[in-house]
């Protein structure tokens, strides 16, 4: 049953990917545990891009419009998906979300997944890149305990680094653990509170736009 579910999901994800490529909308899937600071990162990121590129955000949560309201407050095009009892976004939900959002051609879209370090890793949404957000309050052993999420990630945002002096998180060990499950993983140490590390993250976002367009994922064979 799970295999069939995932096969169906991959079909819809492929349709999403095709639509996003045709409309030149570069899409990142932000994943991480509840409270990792995914929305806070977006609240920093979207204004910092300073209108260089139109940004749309698709918010996923079990319930409430709270995150969509936060994103609306910073002036981005946003839609909220509520999954009810569901614990992840799937490609079908994102397809409906894209319809509602109508991201403009040449834009950037963030999909903030439901807070969960487990099954969002299994569901392709048709995004170009997957980013996992891990806050230093969660512990440096998380990449070893939840390896699948880190294995599928294209980048890791090590978040809330302003709290490092107050928590037992060992930065070197955390990075080592992440790279043990995902060798070469690109990592950004960042604080959305202080803005430390934000520049490198923004520079990468600016760089991946054209690169993602030309990526093998887009040009690869349909499933
Ligand atoms: Mg959130
Ligand atoms: Zn789930």
């Amino acid at each position: 049953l799970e295999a069939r579910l995932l096969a169906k999901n991959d079909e819809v994800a492929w349709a999403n990917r095709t639509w996003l490529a045709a409309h030149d909308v570069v899409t990142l899937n932000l994943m991480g545990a509840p409270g990792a600071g995914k929305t806070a990162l977006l609240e920093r990121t979207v204004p910092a891009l300073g209108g260089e590129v139109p940004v749309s955000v698709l918010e996923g949560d079990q319930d409430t419009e709270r995150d969509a309201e936060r994103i609306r407050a910073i002036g981005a095009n946003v839609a909220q998906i509520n999954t009810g009892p569901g614990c992840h976004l799937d490609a079908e939900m994102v397809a409906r979300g894209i319809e509602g959002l109508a991201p403009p051609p040449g834009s950037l879209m963030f999909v903030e997944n439901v807070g969960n370090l487990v099954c969002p890793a299994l569901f392709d949404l048709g995004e170009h890149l997957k980013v996992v957000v891990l806050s230093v309050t969660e512990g440096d052993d998380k990449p070893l305990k939840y390896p699948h999420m880190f294995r599928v990630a294209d980048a890791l945002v090590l978040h809330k680094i302003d709290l490092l002096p107050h928590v037992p998180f060992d930065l070197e060990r955390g990075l080592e653990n992440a790279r043990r499950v995902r060798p070469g993983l690109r990592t950004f140490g960042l604080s959305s509170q202080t803005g430390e590390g934000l520049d490198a993250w923004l520079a990468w976002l600016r760089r991946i736009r054209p690169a993602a367009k030309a990526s093998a994922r887009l040009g690869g064979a349909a499933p």
Side-chain angles (χ1 to χ4, degrees):
L1 181 69
E2 188 181 285
R4 218 159 41 201
L5 198 82
L6 287 174
K8 170 72 186 140
N9 184 77
D10 284 351
E11 252 173 59
V12 181
W14 185 259
N16 288 349
R17 183 166 286 120
T18 305
W19 190 94
L20 293 167
H23 292 80
D24 188 20
V25 178
V26 175
T27 303
L28 287 93
N29 179 6
L30 282 189
M31 298 180 286
K38 299 181 292 301
T39 314
L41 178 63
L42 289 175
E43 287 177 307
R44 267 285 188 176
T45 301
V46 175
L49 287 171
E52 293 163 42
V53 58
V55 180
S56 304
V57 179
L58 208 46
E59 281 290 345
D61 278 299
Q62 286 200 321
D63 205 348
T64 81
E65 292 259 336
R66 294 177 69 97
D67 283 0
E69 282 159 17
R70 286 169 66 184
I71 298 301
R72 199 167 291 127
I74 55 170
N77 183 28
V78 63
Q80 178 84 49
I81 299 170
N82 285 141
T83 59
C87 47
H88 58 266
L89 293 179
D90 65 26
E92 184 64 48
M93 295 171 192
V94 169
R96 284 198 301 269
I98 291 171
E99 261 182 55
L101 258 187
S107 66
L108 186 63
M109 181 167 77
F110 292 97
V111 178
E112 183 185 332
N113 219 307
V114 177
N116 180 343
L117 215 43
V118 184
C119 52
L122 297 174
F123 288 81
D124 182 9
L125 306 179
E127 76 281 67
H128 302 113
L129 295 165
K130 295 179 196 289
V131 177
V132 56
V133 182
L134 173 70
S135 72
V136 300
T137 56
E138 294 169 63
D140 52 39
D141 57 352
K142 292 303 168 287
L144 301 180
K145 295 173 77 172
Y146 302 93
H148 194 69
M149 176 61 76
F150 293 83
R151 208 166 280 142
V152 300
D154 296 292
L156 163 66
V157 171
L158 205 51
H159 207 204
K160 308 190 188 181
I161 56 167
D162 55 304
L163 298 179
L164 277 171
H166 310 289
V167 294
F169 194 102
D170 183 317
L171 196 58
E172 280 313 304
R173 196 163 53 219
L175 289 174
E176 192 186 303
N177 288 343
R179 287 176 179 146
R180 187 175 302 170
V181 298
R182 175 72 156 96
L185 180 62
R186 184 187 311 273
T187 304
F188 302 96
L190 201 153
S191 165
S192 292
Q193 286 299 313
T194 65
E196 188 183 353
L198 195 67
D199 286 349
W201 161 248
L202 293 171
W204 181 66
L205 289 177
R206 293 185 180 105
R207 265 203 321 278
I208 57 133
R209 295 203 65 260
K213 268 170 68 179
S215 79
R217 280 187 182 181
L218 277 174

